[in-house]
Each structure stands twice: as structure tokens, then as C-alpha cells.
Amino acid sequence: MVRSLFLGSSMFPALLGELLAKESLAGADNPLAPKAPHFPGTARRVIFIYLSGGMSHVDSFDPKPKLAEYQRDGKTREGGGKALGSPWPSRPHGQSGIEVTDLFPNIAECVDDLCIVRSMRGDHNDHFQATLGIHTGSVTFKRPSVGSWVTYGLGTENQNLPCYVVLAPEMPYAGSQVWSSDFLPGIFSGTRITSGPEPVPDLNRRAPTAEIQQDELSLLERFNRRHERRHPGDPMLEARIKSFETAFGMQMTMPQVLDLSKETDATLALYGMERGATTGFGWQCMVARRMIEQGVRFVELIDTGSSKNWDAHGDIHTHAPLARAIDKPIAGLLADLKSRGLLKDTLVVFTTEFGRSPGPEGEMGRGHYNRAYSSWLAGGGVKGGIAYGKTDEFGAKIAEKECHVHDFHATILHCLGFDHTRLTFRHAGRDYRLTDVAGNVVKEILA
């Protein structure tokens, strides 16, 4: 103990620097060290935007005027069933002329940077399972999230910050399973940060002085490593030890990332933010940009939780305030990334767990719909200004180029430089992967 305290007071700063900043030289000794993918990727990092509850594809990025026509004339859709037209008109945007409804007027102006996938299909029609599906590829059993797979494969570029951050004001369906590393080492789980005056609880030092904290941490490190030698091969123990190291680094780095005071008025306006704001989706988007600038590998943005979300069973008009809350910030994020030269190697993903039914539920609502829905990608080596895949005239069936969730994940991993069939982890006697035993890279959308 005496020796440890002595080392803490005299050598700890150098030791900590070695642990947090130079561990990458040790390679396998630090699982968070930057790693080379299977081949040079077009993206180095991911911003994953997830809308909880199931955004309607036919009211946003796959408009279907036929629905309004059939509703007006009292016709039934092919195969039976009423039609419910969208309350938001659509129009072509950008040089590409892709149609987007007025639900997202600001994102629509960025359409030439978007690759809209209109032929998404998932495996489940319930929120809990579908939310797991879009995040983990599995709708039956808990599995590692896409963010965990990415950071497991690539490591991180900043040892003083979490490799995988989730900015979520409320808990989504399936809770923390959405960002869990499951059987992957615990260090690859997402770190949730909420908005508000204290996004990261207990970030400030509790010890009276920095020197005392260094003494305490040095002693703790010594005891932890002794305990680790007695219990080898425990991934949760290693994750806990690493979390202490990352937490110390966060005390130095995270306050700077979360301090938006030096952002210009023009940048704040781009995200639709007021100076001093610490809540809202604009805050989430700007913090995401600042995090990837500091080397965080994977940032997920979740707009709402498991209630008061996009689940528009009673009235599709409830989409309007939800869209207003995210439309300008997302458009601002894309423009900001582009102006800073970050969009070319940052993959921005925009998705939800499923779409909404072309026919009504009740008078003006829409039900769950996993058989066809829309997502989009931007930057990171995908083509901009294209719409991939096609649904029928009602948005009910995939007519061309189906993109299953496994295909979507395989394409994301490909942009990062991974062969999705080779990014595996042996667990319980089997090699697991994000795409299970399926998935094909959608090569047509790659730049």
C-alpha cells in the first residue's frame, strides 16, 4: 500500500498517460486500441440516428399519392383494405428530384446527400423485438448491438472517452439491451448520456485535490490488477477496470466536449439551438459532431423513448411535432459535417424499427408495418441523391430490391472496412456475427 501510494504521488501522471494515451502501442494488451479493418473502409466512424416507435415511410421518404386518391374515391387497395392518404404533400427536391413529403422540409433540402433505402424489411412487427432487430440483428435473443460490433472491430481513437456513446433522453423499447455488448467484452457496451445540466453524473472530482485522487486511483489500480490475476479470463472484470481508467480520462476530456459556449451563433442557428441550451435534439446532434471530432467511434442518437413516440396508432398527425423536433437539427448536422470535411468519412444512418401501415387503424392512425419501410444513409462512401429499392403504389409490398435488416447491417460494416462474415466472436462454441448467417452488401449504393 505504501509503495502504491508513493507511486501514485510521484509517477501516476506518466503511468496514466501510458494507460490512456499510449496503450495502442501494446496492441492486444488494450482491446480499445485502434485496429485495422479487413480492408480500407470509406467510413471511419458512425452517427446512428434512431427514431423510436416506427416512423411512417409513406408519410416521409416513400410518398404514395395513390393512397390519397383511393381514400378520396372510397376504393379498396389491391388485396383488400382501405387506404389512408398522407396529410403531408410531397414534392421533388434537389438535383436528383427525389420526392420527400413536407413532414421533413429541412432534411428534404439535403436529399442530394442521402441514399434513401425504400425497400427495408424487418423480421418482427412488435416494438421490443423490432427495436432489438434493427440494433442487434436478432429479434428472438439478446445479442451485441451494431455499435458494439463496430467498436469491437475498430477500437477507438480517443482513450479518454467512451468508444460508443448513446445520447438518449429517455429509455427506448428493450431498454439498455439496445446498446449492450452482450457476450462481447463489456468495454464495448454503449455509454448512455442524457441531456440536461448534468449529462454525465458524478463527472467532477470528489477527492479534495487532484493529488489525492491520483493516490487513490493508483492504489485502486494495484488492487484491481492483483484481483484480476486471481480471476483470469473474466471479461466483466476487465471491463470494470477499464471503466475506471476511462472515467478518469472523461474527467479531463468530456467537459470540453459538452461545453458548447465556443460554438458560433451561426453554428447554433444551423442546429436550431439557443445559446446555453442543454436539451433538445439539436443539442444531441451538436454533441455527436463534437464527439466524433474527438475520436469517438460510434454515436447513437435516440429522439424519444418507449412512450410519446412515433407509434401513431390513434392519429398520424402526431408525427408532426416529432418531426419538427428533429428535422432542422439533422439537416444542420449534415451541413455542418459537410462543411468541416467530416461527412466523407462519417457514415450517418437514419432509421426506425419498422414503418406504418398504408391503411388506417381507427380513423386516422396507422399500425405497425415491418414488411416495407424506409431508412437512409449519408456520407461515409455511399452514393448521394439516390433512392434504392421500390415499394408498390401503396407502399404495402416491396416491388424491387428488398433490403433486409441483415443486408443493411452488412452494408454499414462494409463501409467501415469489414467483411461482415468475418467479423465474428466465438461464444458458447459458435462463431457469432451481427448478420447471423445471412446478409448481403448492397453494392449498388456504394460510391
Side-chain angles (χ1 to χ4, degrees):
M1 181 184 297
V2 172
R3 183 173 63 175
S4 180
L5 290 172
F6 172 75
L7 289 175
S9 62
S10 63
M11 297 176 61
F12 188 78
L15 174 63
L16 187 72
E18 191 72 12
L19 281 171
L20 299 183
K22 300 180 181 178
E23 245 183 350
S24 59
L25 299 176
D29 292 339
N30 177 17
L32 289 178
K35 308 179 188 73
H38 299 144
F39 51 85
T42 51
R44 296 174 55 191
R45 61 193 79 85
V46 177
I47 296 178
F48 193 95
I49 301 169
Y50 167 67
L51 309 187
S52 181
M55 179 200 71
S56 172
H57 57 302
V58 296
D59 293 292
S60 56
F61 298 100
D62 191 13
K64 299 295 178 183
K66 205 78 170 178
L67 289 173
E69 177 187 327
Y70 269 53
Q71 181 185 18
R72 183 182 64 247
D73 297 340
K75 296 180 181 179
T76 58
R77 294 181 287 114
E78 181 183 350
K82 295 181 180 180
L84 178 63
S86 176
W88 297 280
S90 63
R91 63 194 82 244
H93 291 271
Q95 295 183 352
S96 58
I98 296 175
E99 286 203 6
V100 179
T101 74
D102 289 351
L103 183 63
F104 291 109
N106 291 285
I107 295 176
E109 294 304 314
C110 305
V111 75
D112 288 337
D113 293 316
L114 308 184
C115 169
I116 300 174
V117 181
R118 288 175 167 169
S119 52
M120 291 284 295
R121 183 178 71 80
D123 288 330
H124 213 285
N125 219 33
D126 287 340
H127 291 295
F128 188 101
Q129 292 89 340
T131 299
L132 284 181
I134 194 63
H135 283 92
T136 73
S138 171
V139 298
T140 52
F141 298 100
K142 178 184 172 187
R143 290 286 182 262
S145 71
V146 56
S148 297
W149 281 110
V150 169
T151 50
Y152 163 68
L154 288 178
T156 187
E157 295 178 320
N158 189 334
Q159 304 295 312
N160 290 343
L161 290 171
C163 57
Y164 173 16
V165 173
V166 181
L167 295 163
E170 305 290 341
M171 292 295 281
Y173 299 106
S176 60
Q177 293 181 71
V178 164
W179 53 82
S180 169
S181 63
D182 195 44
F183 52 69
L184 290 177
I187 53 175
F188 299 114
S189 287
T191 297
R192 181 189 174 206
I193 294 178
T194 59
S195 54
E198 192 181 20
V200 183
D202 305 318
L203 189 60
N204 296 325
R205 184 184 70 241
R206 290 187 174 185
T209 67
E211 290 74 17
I212 291 177
Q213 183 186 44
Q214 290 173 358
D215 293 343
E216 292 173 343
L217 291 176
S218 181
L219 178 61
L220 182 64
E221 166 73 10
R222 183 177 178 83
F223 286 156
N224 280 339
R225 293 304 175 187
R226 179 185 296 176
H227 186 65
E228 182 184 34
R229 288 193 294 271
R230 294 173 181 170
H231 302 275
D234 185 344
M236 293 306 294
L237 177 58
E238 175 60 32
R240 183 172 295 179
I241 293 172
K242 188 64 182 176
S243 72
F244 290 137
E245 299 169 1
T246 303
F248 185 86
M250 286 174 64
Q251 285 187 335
M252 297 183 289
T253 308
M254 187 64 80
Q256 301 171 22
V257 176
L258 299 177
D259 180 9
L260 310 185
S261 62
K262 294 183 180 179
E263 296 285 350
T264 66
D265 291 339
T267 303
L268 292 171
L270 197 62
Y271 289 83
M273 285 184 62
E274 294 183 3
R275 185 165 295 281
T278 58
T279 60
F281 205 73
W283 180 87
Q284 291 175 245
C285 286
M286 184 174 289
V287 169
R289 187 217 82 208
R290 293 172 66 88
M291 284 187 171
I292 67 163
E293 285 181 311
Q294 293 297 318
V296 176
R297 188 71 74 180
F298 196 102
V299 181
E300 177 166 5
L301 308 178
I302 304 179
D303 65 330
T304 59
S306 57
S307 62
K308 299 180 181 179
N309 55 33
W310 298 82
D311 195 24
H313 288 284
D315 188 355
I316 193 62
H317 288 89
T318 57
H319 271 29
L322 294 166
R324 280 195 299 272
I326 68 171
D327 180 40
K328 188 174 182 64
I330 292 175
L333 173 64
L334 292 173
D336 201 13
L337 291 173
K338 194 172 183 179
S339 69
R340 295 169 188 267
L342 292 169
L343 188 60
K344 64 179 183 295
D345 57 2
T346 301
L347 184 65
V348 181
V349 181
F350 177 101
T351 191
T352 184
E353 68 259 39
F354 44 56
R356 311 302 303 182
S357 61
E361 187 169 286
E363 292 295 323
M364 286 299 297
R366 296 191 191 274
H368 300 177
Y369 208 78
N370 69 300
R371 287 181 286 171
Y373 66 103
S374 296
S375 302
W376 55 255
L377 304 165
V382 299
K383 294 177 182 176
I386 68 168
Y388 175 84
K390 185 178 180 181
T391 56
D392 66 13
E393 58 187 356
F394 303 109
K397 299 178 182 177
I398 295 174
E400 296 177 8
K401 303 175 180 177
E402 177 183 295
C403 181
H404 187 273
V405 167
H406 290 321
D407 305 323
F408 195 61
H409 287 158
T411 307
I412 290 172
L413 292 180
H414 181 88
C415 290
L416 293 161
F418 290 110
D419 176 345
H420 70 103
T421 67
R422 293 169 53 204
L423 184 62
T424 62
F425 188 88
R426 181 157 285 266
H427 171 66
R430 174 190 160 185
D431 287 336
Y432 283 87
R433 68 187 206 222
L434 174 62
T435 52
D436 194 39
V437 294
N440 294 291
V441 176
V442 185
K443 296 182 179 179
E444 293 178 56
I445 73 173
L446 302 177

